[in-house]
Amino acid sequence: MEALRDAACAARGSMMMMMLVWILLNAAAGLSAEERGMVEELGTEKEAEESHRQDSVNLLTFISLLTLTILTIWLFKHRRVRFLHETGLAMIYGLLVGVILRYGIPAASYHNKTPPSCSLKEGPSSTLLLNVSGKFFEYTLKGEINFKEIHNVEQNDMLRKVTFDPEVFFNILLPPIIFHAGYSLKKRHFFRNLGSIITYAFLGTAISCFFIGNLMYGVVKLMRAVGQLTDKFYYTDCLFFGAIISATDPVTVLAIFNELHADGDLYALLFGESVMNDAVAIVLSSSIMAYQPAGANTHMFDASAFFKSVGIFLGIFSGSFVMGAATGVVTALVTKFTKLHCFPLLETALFFLMSWSTFLLAEACGFTGVVAVLFCGITQAHYTYNNLSEESTKRTKQLFEVLHFLAENFIFSYMGLALFTFQKHVFSPIFIAGAFMAIFLGRALNIYPLSFLLNLGRRDKIRGNFQHMMMFAGLRGAMAFALAIRDTATYARQMMFTTTLLIVFFTVWVFGGGTTPMLSWLHIRVGVDPDQDVQPSGDSFQVLQGDGPQEDGQSKTKQESAWLFRLWYTFDHNYLKPILTHSGPPLTSTLPSYCGPLASCLTSPRAYENQEQLRDPDNDFVHNDADLTFTFGDTSITANGASASRTDAAGGPGWSANGKRSGSTSEEALERELDSREQELLSRGTRLVFPMEEHV
């Protein structure tokens, strides 16, 4: 019995030992699992911290590029260097940094194993869910990796991080550039040449697009014949390339024009064409992408699909225009009927947000944000600007000028960087050479034939040297680059992007650097006051307006502006400006009497405070009889019969337009003086002009 009792005790002891060992093992297993979890969390945190540090380094790189560009710009301006513009300089710095990132940093491999293989029926997915040991993980597609660089994933990831998402360009960098173009528009010269600008922008861009597209289709056929085309390249791809490369951006030329004060009309033609041309190019490219013929062959010409694309073009452009103008009108009404001007900071913030939201609103509604924000800028400058406080007017101008400068130089710096950091370049010598030839011929077909047709109806002809300068100034820039980088998924789009990048480099460096010598060679006037009108003939005209010398620059009349603007001006001056701003005549004086209560409600009290508000700031296009005073020698003549004299204080002579004497000197003496100089009095409605000798 004692032996059995001892055996039972031994058995219980061994069982207890086994249970203790089992508990200890489970505890150890639990601790090891917990430790593994802690290790995984620490690894994830370390990876996130490393990613954050890498992102900071990337942003610091671009900020350093901009800082270096600004300092070099100052040096160039100080030394009066004009052979290289700031945008070309930014591209050079971007190229240098791109070379360092691509070839100067050693490739560190952390993935030496062969990746697992899997087959997907519908191609790669943008998001992938994986079940790993009962846990679900989400993976996001970053892009295709070249098989030769499969073991350099870490370097590929670094280059991918400095390659921005194309939406960053469209939603963040482009809006301030386009808005500033509309907001800083010099309305006087722009509206005087409005018909020509619209012709170049719409008809000229369409001609350039289809010519380049068809010529490049022939180049693609040649590439296929000689075996240089390794993938699909359709006719619609060629037209798309024609649309994006037709977007001109003569920022370098215009900056030099502005610095040298080149001819105002030439500046207006180039600036207006480039601004409107960008809007047309982006809508045209959207219409070409929407071109979908019925049937199996979806890349051949189809009449119904063509007219559908034309309808899409008109719908997108008009819808974007209405949306941009409507946002500007809403902002004008808010700033007029509220007292935001008492709080300039809030006023500036609202102006900024409303202007930027126009771009995003148009894109969200399926329109084009570039067109919307452009016309929003023009509307804001024409209406809202008059309602802002003095402090806000300065803030808004400076704010968008700084944003425009930084965004533009950032894009050009990134262009230089992308030449080496973008990993899907397709260099085709035949396609690149054909593209250069196509853009020069397309620009020539845009400028010269249209200028000939426009000169048939223009009083102030577009002279030959102006046409040559416009042909020379057809640079490509930020808009063409942004449109090209927006979609680089296919072989054709990758080849387009590479070619566009090289075209931008060449035109900015060569044509931009040659602007100053070209101005001298073409004998284009520089040092011109933009607020002074100089007639194309040998005679100079002196027309004084109002009573003060501050009006001397406003000497162009309604007859000298574009006919389209003449149709619009009266309605805008009498109704829209009084409704949307504090300027213009009170609505009680322009609306019918039965609209008196509505007119009183919509008219700002400030319109009654100063009678000078009856004169519109834009009335350099329209003059009334009472606004005109004409001087000849010491004699002043007004158009409404009121006497005036430049020497009234000294008792000098004065004449009115109806022939009545208003001075105290001899009438015969004045007539003899007029006859001796053989002056001619011209009467055009309410406009009287004396051609004066150059020394007067």
Side-chain angles (χ1 to χ4, degrees):
M1 293 294 292
E2 291 180 1
L4 291 174
R5 191 180 300 110
D6 293 339
C9 289
R12 283 196 299 270
S14 62
M15 290 179 63
M16 290 177 65
M17 288 295 295
M18 292 176 63
M19 290 179 63
L20 181 61
V21 171
W22 181 78
I23 292 172
L24 291 174
L25 289 174
N26 283 341
L31 287 173
S32 61
E34 187 175 343
E35 288 176 356
R36 284 197 302 270
M38 292 177 63
V39 170
E40 290 178 358
E41 290 179 3
L42 289 174
T44 304
E45 291 178 1
K46 186 176 180 181
E47 185 177 348
E49 183 179 353
E50 185 66 29
S51 178
H52 171 72
R53 187 180 294 111
Q54 181 64 47
D55 293 338
S56 300
V57 170
N58 294 337
L59 291 177
L60 180 62
T61 301
F62 285 105
I63 291 176
S64 301
L65 280 174
L66 291 177
T67 304
L68 187 60
T69 302
I70 291 172
L71 292 175
T72 314
I73 290 170
W74 168 82
L75 181 62
F76 277 27
K77 289 184 179 294
H78 181 67
R79 299 292 183 183
R80 298 186 181 276
V81 176
R82 294 194 180 99
F83 68 87
L84 184 63
H85 187 249
E86 58 200 44
T87 53
L89 190 65
M91 294 168 67
I92 292 176
Y93 286 144
L95 281 171
L96 295 177
V97 174
V99 170
I100 294 173
L101 291 177
R102 185 62 182 265
Y103 302 108
I105 299 177
S109 176
Y110 67 87
H111 185 62
N112 296 317
K113 298 180 180 179
T114 303
S117 301
C118 64
S119 59
L120 297 175
K121 296 181 179 180
E122 299 179 356
S125 304
S126 58
T127 303
L128 190 64
L129 293 177
L130 288 182
N131 185 350
V132 181
S133 302
K135 294 183 178 180
F136 291 91
F137 295 89
E138 180 181 2
Y139 292 86
T140 304
L141 179 67
K142 288 187 175 181
E144 184 181 1
I145 298 175
N146 193 330
F147 180 76
K148 297 178 181 179
E149 300 178 354
I150 195 68
H151 299 302
N152 297 327
V153 180
E154 191 174 68
Q155 187 187 31
N156 293 336
D157 190 56
M158 182 196 67
L159 296 177
R160 192 182 297 113
K161 283 185 176 181
V162 296
T163 305
F164 281 91
D165 188 338
E167 295 305 315
V168 172
F169 287 98
F170 267 80
N171 295 332
I172 297 178
L173 297 178
L174 275 185
I177 295 176
I178 303 300
F179 181 86
H180 179 265
Y183 194 54
S184 62
L185 186 70
K186 296 179 179 179
K187 294 181 290 183
R188 183 178 185 178
H189 292 281
F190 179 83
F191 286 113
R192 188 188 307 171
N193 299 278
L194 184 60
S196 301
I197 290 171
I198 291 177
T199 303
Y200 286 127
F202 283 84
L203 186 58
T205 304
I207 292 173
S208 176
C209 168
F210 285 100
F211 176 80
I212 293 175
N214 284 280
L215 184 59
M216 294 311 298
Y217 188 62
V219 172
V220 169
K221 290 285 190 182
L222 176 63
M223 293 172 62
R224 183 174 287 113
V226 298
Q228 294 294 319
L229 198 66
T230 60
D231 208 335
K232 298 177 181 178
F233 207 121
Y234 298 109
Y235 177 67
T236 50
D237 294 325
C238 296
L239 288 180
F240 179 80
F241 178 73
I244 64 174
I245 209 63
S246 295
T248 60
D249 186 16
V251 57
T252 305
V253 176
L254 293 176
I256 295 175
F257 275 22
N258 194 42
E259 184 178 352
L260 297 178
H261 300 290
D263 188 278
D265 285 330
L266 177 60
Y267 183 93
L269 285 171
L270 273 174
F271 180 80
E273 185 223 355
S274 67
V275 169
M276 299 290 291
N277 160 277
D278 287 348
V280 173
I282 191 171
V283 179
L284 196 59
S285 62
S286 300
S287 303
I288 291 173
M289 287 191 293
Y291 176 79
Q292 293 180 347
N297 198 345
T298 58
H299 294 277
M300 298 301 293
F301 179 78
D302 182 81
S304 60
F306 172 77
F307 287 110
K308 181 182 178 182
S309 295
V310 172
I312 291 174
F313 173 85
L314 297 176
I316 292 177
F317 195 93
S318 58
S320 304
F321 165 76
V322 170
M323 186 166 291
T327 308
V329 167
V330 170
T331 311
L333 290 173
V334 170
T335 53
K336 177 184 177 181
F337 290 105
T338 61
K339 293 188 177 181
L340 274 173
H341 63 272
C342 299
F343 306 94
L345 180 61
L346 300 180
E347 190 178 36
T348 305
L350 177 69
F351 184 91
F352 174 79
L353 294 176
M354 291 291 289
S355 303
W356 202 307
S357 63
T358 305
F359 184 93
L360 302 176
L361 179 63
E363 292 288 335
C365 294
F367 296 110
T368 300
V370 170
V371 179
V373 79
L374 170 64
F375 287 102
C376 176
I378 296 175
T379 308
Q380 301 276 45
H382 191 58
Y383 297 116
T384 311
Y385 185 82
N386 297 317
N387 300 333
L388 300 178
S389 62
E390 183 178 356
E391 188 174 351
S392 293
T393 56
K394 294 179 181 179
R395 281 182 175 178
T396 54
K397 276 185 171 292
Q398 293 172 353
L399 173 63
F400 280 101
E401 188 174 2
V402 169
L403 290 176
H404 163 264
F405 173 81
L406 292 177
E408 193 166 59
N409 281 279
F410 184 93
I411 289 178
F412 279 94
S413 297
Y414 182 77
M415 287 185 197
L417 198 71
L419 186 63
F420 292 98
T421 59
F422 186 73
Q423 302 176 64
K424 300 177 183 178
H425 281 302
V426 177
F427 290 94
S428 173
I430 298 178
F431 190 85
I432 293 170
F436 272 98
M437 180 177 65
I439 63 170
F440 294 141
L441 294 177
R443 183 69 178 171
L445 288 176
N446 177 353
I447 298 299
Y448 295 115
L450 293 183
S451 298
F452 173 78
L453 295 176
L454 288 170
N455 282 337
L456 298 178
R458 282 178 62 103
R459 181 169 53 187
D460 299 337
K461 309 299 183 185
I462 303 174
R463 300 191 296 275
N465 57 346
F466 279 21
Q467 297 177 35
H468 299 326
M469 192 68 224
M470 293 179 68
M471 170 69 190
F472 181 82
L475 285 70
R476 271 59 176 180
M479 180 57 68
F481 173 79
L483 289 172
I485 200 175
R486 198 172 192 180
D487 182 8
T488 56
T490 64
Y491 170 81
R493 298 297 174 88
Q494 292 165 8
M495 186 183 296
M496 291 181 206
F497 173 71
T498 303
T499 306
T500 301
L501 204 56
L502 295 177
I503 290 174
V504 172
F505 287 162
F506 180 83
T507 56
V508 169
W509 286 337
V510 177
F511 291 163
T515 300
T516 304
M518 185 61 67
L519 284 173
S520 176
W521 186 64
L522 294 175
H523 304 290
I524 294 175
R525 295 180 303 121
V526 295
V528 179
D529 184 1
D531 295 325
Q532 181 181 10
D533 289 305
V534 180
Q535 297 295 333
S537 63
D539 297 328
S540 61
F541 296 82
Q542 182 180 5
V543 181
L544 297 185
Q545 179 182 348
D547 296 326
Q550 68 273 13
E551 303 289 349
D552 289 352
Q554 298 180 345
S555 58
K556 281 297 180 182
T557 66
K558 182 178 179 180
Q559 286 80 8
E560 290 177 307
S561 58
W563 66 270
L564 187 61
F565 182 75
R566 299 200 301 268
L567 297 177
W568 161 259
Y569 180 84
T570 302
F571 176 75
D572 175 65
H573 173 69
N574 292 333
Y575 303 107
L576 289 185
K577 273 214 166 179
I579 292 175
L580 300 177
T581 71
H582 299 298
S583 62
L587 289 171
T588 51
S589 64
T590 57
L591 287 177
S593 57
Y594 58 83
C595 297
L598 179 62
S600 300
C601 179
L602 294 177
T603 301
S604 170
R606 290 166 57 181
Y608 300 102
E609 294 175 1
N610 188 3
Q611 292 300 320
E612 290 298 322
Q613 292 292 339
L614 293 175
R615 293 178 50 79
D616 183 32
D618 290 330
N619 63 359
D620 53 330
F621 301 102
V622 179
H623 298 322
N624 299 322
D625 291 345
D627 295 331
L628 297 177
T629 304
F630 312 98
T631 64
F632 181 79
D634 293 331
T635 305
S636 297
I637 299 177
T638 59
N640 63 350
S643 62
S645 175
R646 295 181 65 182
T647 59
D648 278 347
W655 278 73
S656 65
N658 58 8
K660 294 182 180 180
R661 180 181 177 183
S662 60
S664 59
T665 58
S666 170
E667 179 178 346
E668 291 80 3
L670 179 59
E671 289 180 350
R672 284 196 301 270
E673 183 181 1
L674 291 174
D675 292 338
S676 64
R677 300 195 182 186
E678 298 179 353
Q679 300 298 327
E680 179 183 7
L681 174 63
L682 300 177
S683 176
R684 299 177 182 173
T686 62
R687 178 175 182 264
L688 301 179
V689 178
F690 281 114
M692 309 295 292
E693 295 179 359
E694 292 184 357
H695 67 276
V696 176

